């Protein structure tokens, strides 16, 4: 599917939910929130994949995004920061690894860990660095389906996304 066609599909899904809301129809709010988050994550991923940056830029920006407050930290007036920054940092680290900075493998793992911790999702839903040489990052528990991750509040299809790194 072309990027434009996929963006249009995501937009149409988004607008369908908004139309139900505006009309006062009954809809599944938890399902809508999960779908909205999954759609934002796909747009983040597409955005990162199209940026004309080098590997080092992606790695550095990922480190900046990791410093999103996790909600459990006592910082005054920091509750406005979105946990999705950890996931955007994950995409940045993944892109840096794709471009050759293999030490970003651990960063992919830590960005997901920070999101899971902040969201109260068990660590087993995340990633692990299996090997540095050869480079290999896999889901901790591949028996947990991407749908189960989505239901738990992790809006990423990690099993699918990590196939290129877990071989």
């Amino acid at each position: 599917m072309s990027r434009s066609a996929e963006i249009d599909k995501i937009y149409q899904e988004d607008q369908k939910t908004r139309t139900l809301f505006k009309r006062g129809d009954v809809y599944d709010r938890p399902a809508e929130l999960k779908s909205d988050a999954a759609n934002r994550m796909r747009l983040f991923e597409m955005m990162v994949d199209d940026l004309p940056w080098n590997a080092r830029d992606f790695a550095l920006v990922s480190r900046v995004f990791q410093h999103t407050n996790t909600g459990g930290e006592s910082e005054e007036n920091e509750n406005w920061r979105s946990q999705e920054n950890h996931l955007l940092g994950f995409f940045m680290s993944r892109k840096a690894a794709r471009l050759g900075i293999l030490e970003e493998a651990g960063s992919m793992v830590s960005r997901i860990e920070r999101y899971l911790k902040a969201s109260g999702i068990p660590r087993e839903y995340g990633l692990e660095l299996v090997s540095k040489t050869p480079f290999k990052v896999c889901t901790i528990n591949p028996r947990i389906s991407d749908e189960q991750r989505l239901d738990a509040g992790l809006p990423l299809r990690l099993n699918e996304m990590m196939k290129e790194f877990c071989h």
Side-chain angles (χ1 to χ4, degrees):
M1 177 182 304
S2 77
R3 179 180 43 145
S4 293
E6 187 174 359
I7 290 171
D8 185 62
K9 180 181 177 220
I10 289 170
Y11 173 77
Q12 295 303 326
E13 288 174 10
D14 180 77
Q15 291 303 296
K16 179 181 174 186
T17 302
R18 298 308 154 309
T19 300
L20 292 174
F21 179 74
K22 288 176 186 173
R23 290 190 331 213
D25 291 350
V26 176
Y27 60 96
D28 187 348
R29 181 75 174 148
E32 174 217 342
L33 292 172
K34 291 174 187 172
S35 174
D36 284 353
N39 285 338
R40 284 192 304 275
M41 290 309 104
R42 179 60 187 136
L43 292 171
F44 280 175
E45 180 180 24
M46 292 167 66
M47 193 172 64
V48 167
D49 284 345
D50 286 343
L51 288 173
W53 294 356
N54 63 41
R56 183 175 183 277
D57 292 342
F58 281 110
L60 296 176
V61 170
S62 174
R63 294 200 177 125
V64 170
F65 277 115
Q66 88 170 339
H67 296 123
T68 295
N69 183 289
T70 60
E73 300 166 9
S74 59
E75 294 182 43
E76 189 176 330
N77 299 320
E78 295 294 329
N79 58 355
W80 54 269
R81 289 201 219 168
S82 170
Q83 297 312 319
E84 290 177 350
N85 286 340
H86 295 303
L87 301 181
L88 183 54
F90 161 77
F91 290 122
M92 298 279 183
S93 291
R94 187 178 69 158
K95 185 69 172 185
R98 282 178 174 164
L99 294 173
I101 300 181
L102 300 183
E103 56 268 18
E104 283 301 299
S107 295
M108 284 191 285
V109 173
S110 68
R111 303 307 176 261
I112 295 297
E113 283 178 354
R114 285 183 65 92
Y115 181 87
L116 294 175
K117 180 180 178 183
S119 302
I121 301 170
R123 186 177 181 281
E124 71 176 326
Y125 281 70
L127 299 173
E128 65 181 332
L129 178 61
V130 176
S131 171
K132 289 185 179 183
T133 310
F135 170 67
K136 187 173 182 179
V137 178
C138 301
T139 54
I140 292 173
N141 185 348
R143 292 183 306 250
I144 296 173
S145 71
D146 288 333
E147 288 71 28
Q148 289 170 306
R149 283 184 175 83
L150 184 61
D151 286 342
L154 178 62
L156 299 178
R157 299 191 163 281
L158 283 182
N159 287 328
E160 182 180 322
M161 295 173 80
M162 298 311 293
K163 284 180 183 175
E164 70 184 280
F165 297 107
C166 186
H167 40 38

